[in-house]
Amino acid sequence: MGGMMLRLLILSAMAAVITDAQAQALQVGSTLPAQGHTVQHAAGGQATVSSLLGAGGTVFIFWSNSCQWTTGYEQRVKELHAAAAGRGVSVVLVNSNDAGAFPEESQAYSAAKQYPLRYVHDPGAVLARALGAYRTPEVFAFSSSRVLAYSGAIDDSAGDASAVTRSYVEEFLAGRAPAPTKAFGCRIRFPDS
């Protein structure tokens, strides 16, 4: 009985942490925080968050090198990047996972992926925490004026690209603001604070 009670207490504490992390998500209409934070390009070099922004807007997609859900979205993200580029919107993959504890999340692994879009590492998960990101893949789409217009899932079919009926990111690119959705996927492996 004591072991069962301990497990219930642990699960309850974990649920509180998850709920707290999700409750702190940046609200639509908020200005992009952490614009001066320095991120590291997967292929080398550094940049500030503000230098990654597109003239027509910016879509940050929190990413992982080892999550099966991000792997399933690779082709769709490349297509979104191509569609966004024609509209002056920057699409940026952001890896906020703890590469020290999970080496497959390192810059070397990220660079080997050779995505046609910017892929950056978020040291200390500063950007992820500022936005309230918790999953990979998870989207935060900002307007040209750096205001959050959409957050949540990329589309409505994580498992099957051929079954997508709504692409929330495509709606954002078309100038519409879909209501926020719940992101699904692997949780971000935050570095210890």
Side-chain angles (χ1 to χ4, degrees):
M1 184 70 167
M4 178 62 91
M5 184 59 107
L6 179 60
R7 276 186 250 148
L8 287 173
L9 286 173
I10 290 171
L11 287 173
S12 177
M14 287 173 56
V17 168
I18 291 169
T19 302
D20 184 47
Q22 292 173 334
Q24 295 176 14
L26 191 68
Q27 298 298 305
V28 168
S30 299
T31 302
L32 173 64
Q35 293 184 42
H37 173 56
T38 300
V39 294
Q40 301 167 340
H41 288 286
Q46 297 181 334
T48 60
V49 169
S50 63
S51 71
L52 301 172
L53 305 178
T58 307
V59 177
F60 293 104
I61 304 175
F62 285 85
W63 206 250
S64 169
N65 296 326
S66 61
C67 174
Q68 72 276 13
W69 297 107
T70 56
T71 301
Y73 269 103
E74 286 180 342
Q75 185 58 39
R76 284 181 265 182
V77 164
K78 290 175 185 176
E79 292 166 4
L80 287 171
H81 164 66
R87 294 182 165 102
V89 175
S90 179
V91 177
V92 182
L93 298 179
V94 181
N95 191 321
S96 298
N97 291 295
D98 183 358
F102 303 95
E104 68 277 8
E105 301 298 350
S106 72
Q107 283 181 265
Y109 278 77
S110 300
K113 293 279 194 173
Q114 297 185 344
Y115 289 108
L117 61 158
R118 293 183 205 169
Y119 190 173
V120 300
H121 279 258
D122 175 21
V126 171
L127 183 59
R129 291 173 207 243
L131 298 180
Y134 187 71
R135 298 273 176 204
T136 63
E138 184 171 3
V139 170
F140 290 83
F142 290 86
S143 69
S144 59
S145 57
R146 303 177 182 191
V147 171
L148 184 63
Y150 169 73
S151 64
I154 294 172
D155 58 36
D156 65 354
S157 181
D160 182 3
S162 66
V164 172
T165 59
R166 279 188 78 186
S167 172
Y168 308 113
V169 175
E170 285 181 8
E171 289 178 24
F172 167 77
L173 294 176
R176 296 187 301 274
T181 61
K182 184 174 180 178
F184 47 84
C186 302
R187 71 176 182 81
I188 294 174
R189 297 160 170 171
F190 287 100
D192 293 334
S193 299

